[in-house]
Amino acid sequence: MRLLLIHSDHIEYEARKKTKVAEEDAVPKDALDEALAVFCAVESVDEENIEDSVRQASDEIVATARQLGTANIMIYPYAHLSSDLASPETAVSALKGIEEALAGMDGFVVKRAPFGWYKAFSLSCKGHPLSELSRTIVPGEGAATAPKKEIEHEFFVITPEGERRDAADYVREETPFAALIRKELGYPGPEGAEPVHVDLMRAKELVEYEPRSDVGHHRWMPRGKLIRDLLSDYVLSLVLGYGGMPVETPVMYDLGDKAIWEHAAKFGERQYRFKSGNRDMMLRFAACFGMFSIMHDMHISPNTLPMKLYELSTYSFRHEQKGEVIGLKRLRAFTMPDMHTLCRDVDGALTAFEEQLAIGWKTGDDLETPLVGVFRCTRDFFEQYELWVKEIVAKSGVPMLIEVLSERTHYWIAKVDLAAIDAQGRPIENPTVQIDVESANRFDIKYYAPDGTEIHPPILHCSPTGSIERVICAMLENTAGQEVPSFPTWLAPTQVRLVPVAERHVCFAEEIGTRLNAAGIRADVDDRDESVNKKVREAGMDWVPYVAVIGDQEAETGRLMITIRKLSEKKKPYKETMTESELVQAVKLETAGKPFRQLYTPKLLSRKPRFI
């Protein structure tokens, strides 16, 4: 809580216009002479112990008033003293609490300006050394307070066979699953080394830090933009196949809305907040806000459930600590595929959870980023649904770490996090599914049972891949363990590189490139005046999956000598002779069922600019 205490000759106010959170039954106009004006902002931290904040604030005000020799006190809500405000309900409760505490003391005349109104006020400050004082109140400081109840965390592993094992049994293994367990159990992690992907994202001209923006905001070059767009197309295809309905919602929301404020408060202080006129606003950190607003306004029938809404939130924002922001793993602006499923009941939520977990595992296979998993839930949930938990582990076909919390501390009662492991053995959290039992009540999302009973159903949060940036991060990190690093062919910015031996071969190479592009293959031609060895070497540096050198023999026979990156060893390129149609068939076989986009860079490398 922030207090600004001003000893005044006179203070008066007039309430002129309501906001959405305006106090009712307010005194619209009032004044005091020879008064201590107490400008007050109630902060989010006060919610941890509002009674203690009220007590401390009242003590400060009384002490100051007695020091100044005044008995008149005007309490004036003043949000501008802080950028981290409590909810409107908490603020009103605190202000009323201070008013009642002061009014209950002999000798004080206490008045309070209303909360949530646009007000005009005039103030005449006395101007002596003690006439302007500020105070910061933090609950729990200066007095003993009731200790917070400790949440107990129990960890163990369930195998696909249903066996329960001690998580510590795995920590000495050199496996991705063991790396996840070490992190979750709090073992010291690898130190010092910068993630592998940070150099790669720049060296491959995918993405770069934007120095003219905030930290954690990036610029995307054409090659990186293509991969990002293909990944977005891929997730959309998955979601549409699953029955999801795409929507689009705003990136900023009004913290004066009770539901918005309460949901934002669940995620702590790492938010972008700002003023828009007189309104306190925030940039979204997920698509929840807009989707829940849509669901609130819908007419929902149980016959239409489960109902799945999907948005590729470009962008979502989290004000991560500056020292934690690095590469594509932790950003302040990111692209999040976000699906929310409104379920009829918990049984329906469990069924949808299984389906969406299976989608998460599938994305690891499709993106060639092996995943490991941790399932988290409350103790009550685990005791009731232990058999179901074992079933989803069995269907996953791999052991999973289980974390059981003694009590619910979040909006979810159960969630799963799937993670890739980076080159240093650190988890990169990607797909997630969560069962939310709070938000339907908070946003008044409901349907009616046949008997007229109002039902606020569970909602599933699901990101099938995790943020697009983290997916690329995981793919780049994964290349550290590959003898010949590469992207999946469907994501390669250039899928076929044609290398003419001499200038006379350029036209023939261009003709092949044109036909390949028409067949839905990203092909370019290295027509630069460079040696063949240099062109082939740079094609390797670009991780091009198929490279064909075009000389006299290829022009005469139509058969191409292809270097296939996936089949090559570090010092032994794998080469195979193919016809043009066989090359098309090979690429199509690798990319079947995956989205396609045209080249984002010129087809002739002589016209391709350098970005880094």
Side-chain angles (χ1 to χ4, degrees):
M1 187 182 297
R2 302 296 178 97
L3 302 177
L4 177 61
L5 307 166
I6 298 180
H7 192 195
S8 61
D9 293 314
H10 178 78
I11 178 171
E12 64 179 295
Y13 72 85
E14 181 179 358
R16 293 185 174 176
K17 185 179 179 182
K18 284 184 176 182
T19 68
K20 288 189 290 186
V21 295
E23 249 186 297
E24 300 297 337
D25 303 322
V27 178
K29 186 176 182 180
D30 215 333
L32 273 176
D33 293 324
E34 297 295 326
L36 177 62
V38 180
F39 291 87
C40 179
V42 184
E43 298 182 296
S44 61
V45 69
D46 296 309
E47 298 192 339
E48 296 179 6
N49 191 335
I50 193 65
E51 293 82 5
D52 188 57
S53 290
V54 167
R55 180 193 60 76
Q56 288 191 58
S58 302
D59 289 348
E60 285 285 355
I61 294 167
V62 168
T64 303
R66 286 175 175 164
Q67 185 179 16
L68 296 173
T70 181
N72 297 332
I73 298 173
M74 174 70 78
I75 302 169
Y76 194 101
Y78 202 64
H80 306 289
L81 294 176
S82 175
S83 60
D84 185 21
L85 297 171
S87 68
E89 289 74 16
T90 300
V92 171
S93 173
L95 293 166
K96 286 183 176 179
I98 294 170
E99 180 185 20
E100 291 168 2
L102 298 176
M105 298 181 184
D106 292 336
F108 286 111
V109 175
V110 183
K111 296 186 177 183
R112 181 171 63 85
F115 178 89
W117 290 73
Y118 295 118
K119 300 180 288 288
F121 75 88
S122 61
L123 174 73
S124 175
C125 179
K126 286 187 174 292
H128 57 72
L130 296 178
S131 62
E132 299 176 59
L133 302 171
S134 64
R135 296 288 185 267
T136 299
I137 305 298
V138 179
E141 291 191 356
T145 56
K148 284 188 175 181
K149 188 168 184 179
E150 289 293 326
I151 302 299
E152 297 174 1
H153 299 257
E154 181 184 8
F155 289 94
F156 52 91
V157 170
I158 291 181
T159 69
E161 297 74 31
E163 180 185 0
R164 177 168 169 163
R165 295 186 58 185
D166 190 335
D169 293 346
Y170 292 81
V171 297
R172 295 187 182 277
E173 296 180 2
E174 292 301 321
T175 63
F177 185 53
L180 173 71
I181 290 175
R182 285 192 291 269
K183 185 263 184 182
E184 292 290 337
L185 296 187
Y187 282 68
E191 295 181 4
E194 185 174 66
V196 169
H197 79 275
V198 176
D199 283 339
L200 287 174
M201 74 184 197
R202 302 182 72 252
K204 303 307 170 190
E205 287 198 338
L206 305 179
V207 59
E208 172 64 296
Y209 298 116
E210 176 49 74
R212 290 181 173 85
S213 184
D214 193 5
V215 296
H217 292 245
H218 293 352
R219 62 170 75 145
W220 290 83
M221 273 66 78
R223 287 164 54 85
K225 170 72 171 153
L226 172 61
I227 294 174
R228 191 168 148 219
D229 288 347
L230 284 166
L231 288 169
S232 301
D233 293 344
Y234 164 75
V235 183
L236 178 61
S237 177
L238 281 180
V239 169
L240 291 174
Y242 182 56
M245 297 180 286
V247 298
E248 188 169 332
T249 61
V251 301
M252 66 180 69
Y253 292 89
D254 185 354
L255 287 163
D257 181 280
K258 178 177 181 289
I260 296 293
W261 191 94
E262 288 182 355
H263 195 64
K266 288 286 179 181
F267 291 82
E269 298 178 358
R270 296 191 176 189
Q271 299 167 28
Y272 278 92
R273 294 188 174 188
F274 61 98
K275 284 281 188 182
S276 177
N278 289 316
R279 294 198 294 173
D280 292 306
M281 308 290 287
M282 64 163 289
L283 296 178
R284 68 180 179 189
F285 45 77
C288 313
F289 301 93
M291 288 201 197
F292 293 162
S293 183
I294 289 174
M295 290 178 178
H296 166 78
D297 292 339
M298 292 178 68
H299 172 71
I300 298 168
S301 164
N303 297 327
T304 64
L305 302 180
M307 180 187 72
K308 311 165 189 102
L309 298 184
Y310 170 74
E311 179 174 4
L312 181 70
S313 64
T314 308
Y315 285 99
S316 288
F317 302 87
R318 297 186 188 180
H319 201 269
E320 303 285 11
Q321 296 294 324
K322 186 175 181 180
E324 297 177 355
V325 174
I326 184 149
L328 297 169
K329 187 174 183 179
R330 193 175 292 275
L331 306 92
R332 288 184 174 178
F334 53 93
T335 308
M336 179 65 79
D338 219 341
M339 178 168 65
H340 290 80
T341 305
L342 191 64
C343 302
R344 181 178 294 195
D345 50 30
V346 172
D347 287 343
L350 297 182
T351 300
F353 190 105
E354 285 186 48
E355 298 165 349
Q356 292 171 24
L357 173 57
I359 291 173
W361 288 120
K362 173 179 166 54
T363 65
D365 294 337
D366 289 347
L367 301 170
E368 300 178 17
T369 54
L371 300 173
V372 290
V374 53
F375 178 87
R376 314 177 199 273
C377 65
T378 63
R379 183 165 293 149
D380 287 345
F381 181 93
F382 187 77
E383 289 174 355
Q384 185 172 359
Y385 296 106
E386 180 177 357
L387 290 178
W388 176 82
V389 174
K390 291 181 175 179
E391 285 177 13
I392 65 171
V393 175
K395 290 178 180 178
S396 297
V398 292
M400 293 182 69
L401 180 64
I402 310 297
E403 179 187 9
V404 177
L405 286 70
S406 56
E407 293 186 24
R408 181 166 68 86
T409 59
H410 306 282
Y411 57 84
W412 50 264
I413 53 172
K415 68 179 292 196
V416 67
D417 294 315
L418 304 184
I421 304 299
D422 72 12
Q424 285 78 39
R426 297 171 295 206
I428 307 167
E429 290 185 358
N430 281 345
T432 186
V433 188
Q434 307 167 3
I435 303 177
D436 177 351
V437 294
E438 283 188 5
S439 296
N441 283 286
R442 181 177 298 119
F443 285 83
D444 194 25
I445 300 166
K446 60 182 178 290
Y447 70 86
Y448 293 93
D451 63 0
T453 303
E454 189 175 275
I455 307 293
H456 292 89
I459 300 173
L460 260 60
H461 300 236
C462 173
S463 182
T465 58
S467 77
I468 298 298
E469 291 80 4
R470 281 196 176 181
V471 171
I472 299 173
C473 167
M475 288 193 296
L476 291 173
E477 290 287 332
N478 192 46
T479 64
Q482 298 173 352
E483 185 176 1
V484 179
S486 63
F487 288 117
T489 299
W490 67 277
L491 286 170
T494 297
Q495 294 170 320
V496 176
R497 171 75 48 83
L498 301 167
V499 179
V501 172
E503 186 177 352
R504 65 181 181 275
H505 304 119
V506 170
C507 287
F508 182 60
E510 285 188 57
E511 291 171 4
I512 296 174
T514 298
R515 290 192 293 270
L516 292 176
N517 283 309
I521 293 171
R522 290 185 292 278
D524 57 23
V525 177
D526 194 342
D527 62 329
R528 297 174 300 160
D529 185 18
E530 302 285 357
S531 70
V532 171
N533 284 342
K534 182 175 181 180
K535 292 178 181 180
V536 171
R537 186 168 62 251
E538 291 189 4
M541 293 170 63
D542 285 344
W543 296 354
V544 178
Y546 295 86
V547 180
V549 176
I550 310 294
D552 291 338
Q553 184 176 347
E554 288 75 20
E556 290 171 7
T557 65
R559 296 190 65 81
L560 309 174
M561 181 61 73
I562 309 293
T563 299
I564 304 175
R565 189 169 183 83
K566 285 275 188 182
L567 302 178
S568 296
E569 298 175 11
K570 190 171 185 179
K571 295 184 178 180
K572 188 179 178 182
Y574 178 87
K575 297 185 179 183
E576 186 174 326
T577 301
M578 296 182 181
T579 64
E580 188 178 316
S581 62
E582 287 171 339
L583 174 59
V584 170
Q585 185 178 7
V587 176
K588 290 294 187 181
L589 185 63
E590 280 198 66
T591 60
K594 302 299 189 299
F596 171 77
R597 290 197 179 210
Q598 297 287 342
L599 281 168
Y600 278 23
T601 49
K603 294 180 175 64
L604 297 177
L605 263 65
S606 62
R607 299 179 183 174
K608 179 179 175 292
R610 289 189 61 181
F611 289 88
I612 295 178

